[in-house]
Amino acid sequence: MTLKVSDIGEKELIKYIIANSRSITPDDTAVTPLESSNLISTCDMLIQSRHFPQNMSYHDMGFKSVTVNVSDLAAMGAEPLGFLLSIAIPKDLEIDHFKQIVAGVLKACDFYNIPLIGGDTNESSEIIINGTALGLTDKPLMKDDYNKGDLIAITGEIGLAALGFELDVLDNIYVKKALKPEARIKEGLILRDYATSATDITDGLASELYTIKKDGMGFMIHEDMLNISDEYKRLSDELGLDYLDLILHVGEDFELLFTISKDNLDKLPIDCIVIGEVTDSDVVEMTLENGFVERIENRGYEHYVSE
Amino acid sequence: MTLKVSDIGEKELIKYIIANSRSITPDDTAVTPLESSNLISTCDMLIQSRHFPQNMSYHDMGFKSVTVNVSDLAAMGAEPLGFLLSIAIPKDLEIDHFKQIVAGVLKACDFYNIPLIGGDTNESSEIIINGTALGLTDKPLMKDDYNKGDLIAITGEIGLAALGFELDVLDNIYVKKALKPEARIKEGLILRDYATSATDITDGLASELYTIKKDGMGFMIHEDMLNISDEYKRLSDELGLDYLDLILHVGEDFELLFTISKDNLDKLPIDCIVIGEVTDSDVVEMTLENGFVERIENRGYEHYVSE
């Protein structure tokens, strides 16, 4: 019985690639030193059947393909430089729908101030969009330069998209976050001068905490600091879902998760939500509303895993 | 009856994107001025059912995904800087096959001296590999800076892969070119100092000639300078195929097509095949072996077009 990719999961595949390549330093993006700055480069592929909900417009597909890549630039505190678009579409796709996807891409490029500089078109059985985002920064914001005692914060509420994917109604903040997420590029540029580390939340807070965790260091998150609304708990409950599970283990938030010293937090000129602190416990845990402390499971959205 | 992408073809789609974007200068790659040089960036997506022949090994799929992108760097005379790999695979793909693809990618990165610096993995119904290649050059070799009287040359024989795709036998130069093409990165770096313009041949010589054609300028290609072997003509004939059609209109050669002054040709330190000259006829034509002159059709490999 031969081993298949579904037996080991996406993260193991990535580890395999990294282990066999001398030049990958695992962070949100690649960092390539140039003369007086650093080239920041990242790519992300979106596949219609996996990444685009049924109720997502063609315009929003295009927009999101830029967002997911610019979000990684934001996580590094990079200034956008250019975007490359590889798009594969079915040959029976209507021209108007193709144009709407492109309009979404161009709208996002304009919104994030990242020029569309190149690309490629192809034919495939479903819509597949690969974006490459390039940026520059003289001071890349890495994912694990934090210290014990640093505070942990996020640039905005999380879990909204996760709930939005479960809802059919089009006109509420949850579905809006699910279909029209935005990257925190401006916040990333500011955090570069204040935060000790940062990453963007795409596979869920839990997953990202484990991604940035260093040996010997840990995180204590406080549920009562997450600002979870009563409405959120009620809607989750009505759907038969665990609200903490939605908040921690689904993702697609595109908020930045960052660490910051108490002193710098006082000076930080952007809004954020402080959710915990860096410890030397070597575990990732949460103090629940009821006071109990639980380990946060290392579980997030992962491709391939057999269902 | 709504218009579909198959009604207008891939080239029109690309034109649409370019027409709506302020920042794309159509050449083999994007050119972004950076510090004292230029960042060269390009992306290309390979889709299993479209780009990988049945008899292609997993290793060669990985290798080719780097080749097609490095070939565009070569066409610009760029020094390789880094490669990003986005790979989507079916969840029932055997681990060993995934590892073979990655091995092919890493082998190619080593061969072309382009470090693998980042990437992404995904799940899809077939193997899809998007590569982004980054390079640097202070003197990008554009596609249409030629002058009347320049000679037209190629870095090696063309049409071999086109014939190779039609053959089942594994062990001949045609099939080898079809399954294991190589980018002319070293030649590109040298041509930067000698050629007036260059592009890489991927959709066939005819297609590339029309891609680099400027208003008022034309090209005269000479069939007897193409070095078409008797074996090539015989094999094509046995397959019921037109050998000129294979050479002009299929592609996948990855040789560089370039223009060069007579003086510089004398000094050029690499092998090449001179195949014609730049004219002011405003047409793309060929003098056949029998002496007749014919217009070369603007026909090459194109996605989406209804069959």
Side-chain angles (χ1 to χ4, degrees):
Chain A
M1 178 84 166
T2 45
L3 223 56
K4 304 211 186 298
V5 299
S6 54
D7 296 317
I8 71 167
E10 185 190 1
K11 292 201 188 297
E12 285 303 309
L13 298 181
I14 293 177
K15 275 192 201 167
Y16 177 82
I17 297 175
I18 292 173
N20 281 280
S21 164
R22 290 174 308 240
S23 316
I24 299 183
T25 309
D27 213 283
D28 291 282
T29 71
V31 180
T32 307
L34 297 173
E35 275 171 45
S36 57
S37 191
N38 295 280
L39 178 68
I40 303 298
S41 58
T42 182
C43 60
D44 247 318
M45 187 185 285
L46 297 184
I47 297 171
Q48 187 174 14
S49 53
R50 309 288 306 184
H51 296 102
F52 299 144
Q54 288 286 5
N55 52 352
M56 191 176 227
S57 71
Y58 290 100
H59 182 280
D60 287 346
M61 290 179 198
F63 199 105
K64 186 178 179 183
S65 70
V66 185
T67 292
V68 300
N69 286 288
V70 169
S71 188
D72 282 310
L73 295 188
M76 303 298 286
E79 194 79 55
L81 183 63
F83 184 78
L84 295 122
L85 170 73
S86 257
I87 172 165
I89 52 180
K91 73 177 181 190
D92 61 356
L93 183 72
E94 288 178 32
I95 295 290
D96 277 346
H97 293 161
F98 169 76
K99 288 183 174 182
Q100 287 161 26
I101 297 172
V102 173
V105 170
L106 293 171
K107 184 95 184 277
C109 285
D110 202 56
F111 183 76
Y112 297 120
N113 201 19
I114 185 167
L116 175 64
I117 59 175
D120 178 41
T121 60
N122 263 285
E123 183 185 330
S124 64
S125 53
E126 57 173 328
I127 296 168
I128 296 168
I129 309 179
N130 188 91
T132 301
L134 306 172
L136 284 173
T137 177
D138 52 2
K139 202 167 48 171
L141 193 48
M142 308 304 282
K143 65 182 173 76
D144 55 10
D145 285 342
Y146 47 80
N147 308 297
K148 178 185 170 187
D150 276 357
L151 297 172
I152 303 166
I154 50 180
T155 49
E157 284 176 55
I158 54 175
L160 307 186
L163 183 56
F165 291 127
E166 306 290 337
L167 299 170
D168 282 323
V169 177
L170 276 181
D171 195 17
N172 62 52
I173 56 165
Y174 310 106
V175 176
K176 190 159 183 283
K177 279 288 256 180
L179 301 181
K180 299 173 190 286
E182 289 176 9
R184 297 295 177 214
I185 192 76
K186 293 193 177 93
E187 288 84 345
L189 283 164
I190 291 167
L191 284 171
R192 184 176 47 178
D193 296 318
Y194 294 89
T196 39
S197 69
T199 192
D200 63 330
I201 305 177
T202 52
D203 293 334
L205 176 61
S207 184
E208 312 305 350
L209 288 169
Y210 277 95
T211 297
I212 69 172
K213 183 189 175 311
K214 291 186 284 196
D215 284 340
M217 303 295 277
F219 307 114
M220 174 60 80
I221 307 298
H222 300 268
E223 184 188 347
D224 58 10
M225 294 171 94
L226 286 172
N227 280 4
I228 307 166
S229 69
D230 290 334
E231 179 183 73
Y232 193 93
K233 291 177 182 176
R234 180 178 58 75
L235 286 169
S236 310
D237 195 55
E238 281 170 13
L239 289 163
L241 298 167
D242 180 320
Y243 70 86
L244 260 189
D245 200 80
L246 285 175
I247 283 174
L248 292 175
H249 300 297
V250 178
E252 298 275 311
D253 302 280
F254 300 100
E255 298 293 343
L256 296 176
L257 166 71
F258 62 96
T259 55
I260 189 166
S261 68
K262 292 187 183 72
D263 284 345
N264 273 359
L265 179 69
D266 291 337
K267 305 178 216 162
L268 186 64
I270 57 168
D271 288 336
C272 69
I273 304 169
V274 177
I275 63 171
E277 62 272 354
V278 178
T279 69
D280 56 3
S281 67
D282 206 29
V283 291
V284 180
E285 51 195 351
M286 176 179 281
T287 303
L288 302 171
E289 275 185 337
N290 60 18
F292 284 112
V293 175
E294 274 189 8
R295 185 81 51 105
I296 296 177
E297 278 176 60
N298 185 3
R299 189 164 48 82
Y301 183 71
E302 194 167 336
H303 289 291
Y304 316 123
V305 178
S306 306
E307 280 147 23
Chain B
M1 179 83 167
T2 45
L3 224 55
K4 303 211 186 296
V5 297
S6 54
D7 295 318
I8 72 167
E10 183 190 5
K11 292 203 187 297
E12 285 304 309
L13 298 182
I14 293 177
K15 274 191 199 167
Y16 177 82
I17 296 175
I18 292 174
N20 281 280
S21 166
R22 290 175 309 241
S23 315
I24 297 183
T25 309
D27 213 285
D28 292 283
T29 71
V31 179
T32 308
L34 199 62
E35 295 180 5
S36 61
S37 190
N38 294 280
L39 177 67
I40 302 299
S41 57
T42 182
C43 59
D44 247 317
M45 187 185 283
L46 298 185
I47 296 171
Q48 187 174 15
S49 53
R50 310 287 306 184
H51 296 103
F52 299 144
Q54 288 285 5
N55 52 350
M56 190 175 227
S57 70
Y58 290 101
H59 181 281
D60 288 345
M61 290 180 199
F63 199 104
K64 186 178 178 182
S65 69
V66 184
T67 293
V68 300
N69 286 287
V70 169
S71 188
D72 283 310
L73 295 188
M76 302 299 286
E79 195 77 55
L81 184 62
F83 184 78
L84 295 120
L85 171 72
S86 256
I87 174 166
I89 53 179
K91 72 178 182 188
D92 60 356
L93 184 73
E94 288 178 31
I95 296 290
D96 278 347
H97 293 162
F98 169 75
K99 289 184 174 181
Q100 286 161 27
I101 297 172
V102 172
V105 169
L106 293 170
K107 184 93 184 277
C109 284
D110 202 55
F111 183 77
Y112 297 121
N113 201 19
I114 186 167
L116 176 65
I117 58 175
D120 178 40
T121 60
N122 263 286
E123 184 186 329
S124 65
S125 53
E126 56 173 329
I127 296 169
I128 296 168
I129 309 179
N130 188 93
T132 301
L134 306 173
L136 284 173
T137 176
D138 53 2
K139 203 167 46 172
L141 194 49
M142 308 305 281
K143 65 182 172 77
D144 56 8
D145 285 342
Y146 47 81
N147 307 297
K148 177 184 170 188
D150 276 357
L151 298 172
I152 303 166
I154 50 180
T155 49
E157 284 177 53
I158 53 176
L160 308 186
L163 184 55
F165 290 127
E166 307 290 336
L167 299 170
D168 283 323
V169 177
L170 276 181
D171 195 17
N172 62 53
I173 55 165
Y174 310 107
V175 176
K176 190 159 184 282
K177 278 287 254 181
L179 301 182
K180 299 172 190 288
E182 289 177 7
R184 298 294 178 215
I185 192 76
K186 294 197 177 88
E187 288 83 346
L189 283 164
I190 291 168
L191 284 171
R192 184 176 47 177
D193 295 318
Y194 294 89
T196 40
S197 70
T199 191
D200 63 331
I201 305 176
T202 51
D203 292 335
L205 177 60
S207 184
E208 311 307 347
L209 288 169
Y210 277 95
T211 297
I212 68 172
K213 184 190 174 313
K214 289 187 284 196
D215 284 339
M217 304 294 277
F219 308 114
M220 174 60 80
I221 308 298
H222 301 269
E223 184 189 347
D224 58 11
M225 294 171 92
L226 286 172
N227 282 4
I228 307 167
S229 70
D230 290 337
E231 180 186 74
Y232 193 93
K233 292 178 181 174
R234 179 177 59 75
L235 286 168
S236 310
D237 196 55
E238 281 170 13
L239 289 163
L241 298 167
D242 181 321
Y243 70 86
L244 260 188
D245 200 79
L246 284 176
I247 283 175
L248 293 174
H249 301 297
V250 178
E252 298 275 313
D253 302 280
F254 300 100
E255 297 294 343
L256 296 177
L257 167 70
F258 62 97
T259 55
I260 188 166
S261 68
K262 292 187 183 71
D263 285 347
N264 273 357
L265 178 68
D266 290 338
K267 304 180 216 163
L268 186 64
I270 56 170
D271 289 336
C272 68
I273 303 169
V274 177
I275 63 171
E277 61 272 354
V278 179
T279 70
D280 57 4
S281 68
D282 207 26
V283 291
V284 180
E285 49 195 352
M286 175 178 284
T287 302
L288 303 171
E289 272 185 338
N290 61 18
F292 283 114
V293 175
E294 271 188 9
R295 184 83 49 107
I296 296 177
E297 278 177 58
N298 185 3
R299 189 165 48 82
Y301 183 71
E302 195 167 335
H303 290 289
Y304 315 124
V305 178
S306 307
E307 280 147 23

